[in-house]
Amino acid sequence: MDILFAVLYAVMIGFYNVCKKLSLQKSHSSAVLALFSTTAFICSLLWLPFGVIVPWNLFGILFLKGFLIAVSWFFILKILKNVDLTIVTVTDVLSAGLSFVLGMLLFGETASWLQIVGAVLVVLSVVAINLCSRHSQGSAHKLQILGLLFSAMISTTCSVFDKYTTTYLTPYQVQFWFLFSVCVFAWLFFGVECLRNKTYLIKKQDFGNLWIYLAGFLLFLGDFFLFQAYKVPGSKMIVISILAKLKVIIAVLVGILIMKEKQIGRKIFFTGTVILGAILLSVF
């Protein structure tokens, strides 16, 4: 069941990333972050009847995760506005390789030699796609890639938090307080951006940007499946974290078919090697 939940998460988050990209065409990145995180949190209110009270020490971990994710998304949205959707999504796969290592070191998880080959294949494929990609802004592209790598590090840290917190809490508790904290920090960052730009960044038309609300709903669904995957007895972070990155399939297909992105052949080839690596992880 953990594999099924991880794949469902990948599908939901794959389309979530597409909706984020489309929402940025009409709205400011800070407004998008504030509105879609609020939408996701409102959806999580469904879990109130299941009980969401958590110990203070675990609440602190969830709040810290919310802060880290909000910081990551803040920069990701700014980068996503100017680069290919495929590059943002595939670079994120790097966090899976790091999660693989931490899963073994921190939680004593084990992997067969074929699973290790799969993890290495995923990471090398990510590096290859970054090397093959080109961006019109030249040196700015390198800074954007560094930002994406920083986001990957945050994602890895949060995978550790997810594995730890779901050991002691229900998926409903974890998701509710995570989305609550993300929402709080998203609005704080929004306020800072408004002060910095000396204008209110949410316009009237932003409330009619349906891509924002769809992104929030898909985020809610995706995280629900992710936390369910971690809660399955015997589930491994080293497997879930990499299977979750199959969201790259959605990004590549949409990027090629709808957004007419470039470097099609290379992206398809290395995305195929990412999938192959994921198969080695899940089957063996």
Side-chain angles (χ1 to χ4, degrees):
M1 285 299 293
D2 55 331
I3 292 177
L4 174 61
F5 284 135
V7 171
L8 288 173
Y9 166 78
V11 173
M12 294 299 106
I13 296 301
F15 284 110
Y16 153 76
N17 284 330
V18 173
C19 291
K20 280 196 305 182
K21 176 71 172 179
L22 294 173
S23 67
L24 290 168
Q25 295 177 353
K26 297 181 179 180
S27 304
H28 191 276
S29 60
S30 295
V32 170
L33 174 60
L35 291 175
F36 85 66
S37 60
T38 301
T39 301
F41 172 65
I42 290 174
C43 290
S44 73
L45 295 177
L46 291 170
W47 306 145
L48 286 176
F50 295 91
V52 295
I53 304 301
V54 301
W56 279 106
N57 60 325
L58 295 176
F59 174 78
I61 293 176
L62 293 173
F63 210 67
L64 174 60
K65 178 195 171 183
F67 169 73
L68 292 174
I69 290 295
V71 171
S72 174
W73 287 351
F74 178 79
F75 290 108
I76 279 288
L77 287 172
K78 288 185 175 296
I79 295 172
L80 186 60
K81 200 174 184 72
N82 300 305
V83 302
D84 287 353
L85 172 66
T86 307
I87 299 304
V88 173
T89 305
V90 178
T91 304
D92 179 58
V93 181
L94 180 60
S95 65
L98 299 174
S99 298
F100 188 90
V101 175
L102 290 179
M104 290 190 290
L105 293 178
L106 298 179
F107 299 106
E109 298 177 352
T110 59
S112 67
W113 68 270
L114 281 176
Q115 288 179 316
I116 294 175
V117 169
V120 172
L121 187 59
V122 169
V123 173
L124 292 180
S125 299
V126 170
V127 174
I129 288 179
N130 286 330
L131 292 176
C132 291
S133 300
R134 295 291 183 268
H135 192 268
S136 59
Q137 292 183 0
S139 60
H141 177 60
K142 296 179 181 179
L143 293 177
Q144 290 165 343
I145 293 298
L146 287 176
L148 295 174
L149 294 177
F150 172 71
S151 175
M153 296 293 292
I154 290 180
S155 178
T156 302
T157 303
C158 292
S159 293
V160 174
F161 288 164
D162 290 339
K163 176 67 175 178
Y164 178 77
T165 54
T166 51
T167 301
Y168 302 100
L169 303 174
T170 67
Y172 311 111
Q173 293 171 313
V174 174
Q175 185 172 26
F176 177 85
W177 289 112
F178 161 61
L179 290 176
F180 169 78
S181 55
V182 167
C183 186
V184 169
F185 287 114
W187 282 103
L188 285 176
F189 296 157
F190 173 77
V192 172
E193 281 288 278
C194 288
L195 292 174
R196 191 173 68 86
N197 290 275
K198 298 180 180 180
T199 183
Y200 188 66
L201 296 174
I202 294 181
K203 308 303 180 184
K204 183 177 180 180
Q205 62 267 23
D206 293 337
F207 293 103
N209 190 342
L210 297 181
W211 294 115
I212 295 177
Y213 304 113
L214 185 55
F217 179 67
L218 289 171
L219 171 64
F220 166 73
L221 286 180
D223 276 354
F224 171 75
F225 289 127
L226 178 64
F227 298 138
Q228 290 289 346
Y230 277 117
K231 194 64 177 179
V232 173
S235 62
K236 295 182 178 181
M237 188 177 82
I238 60 177
V239 174
I240 293 174
S241 60
I242 292 186
L243 286 179
K245 304 309 179 181
L246 289 176
K247 61 187 178 182
V248 69
I249 301 173
I250 306 298
V252 170
L253 290 177
V254 172
I256 292 173
L257 298 177
I258 298 179
M259 299 183 179
K260 308 300 181 183
E261 294 183 356
K262 300 178 180 180
Q263 303 288 341
I264 295 176
R266 295 178 181 180
K267 288 177 181 177
I268 291 178
F269 174 78
F270 288 116
T271 299
T273 58
V274 167
I275 296 172
L276 176 60
I279 291 175
L280 290 176
L281 275 164
S282 58
V283 175
F284 300 99

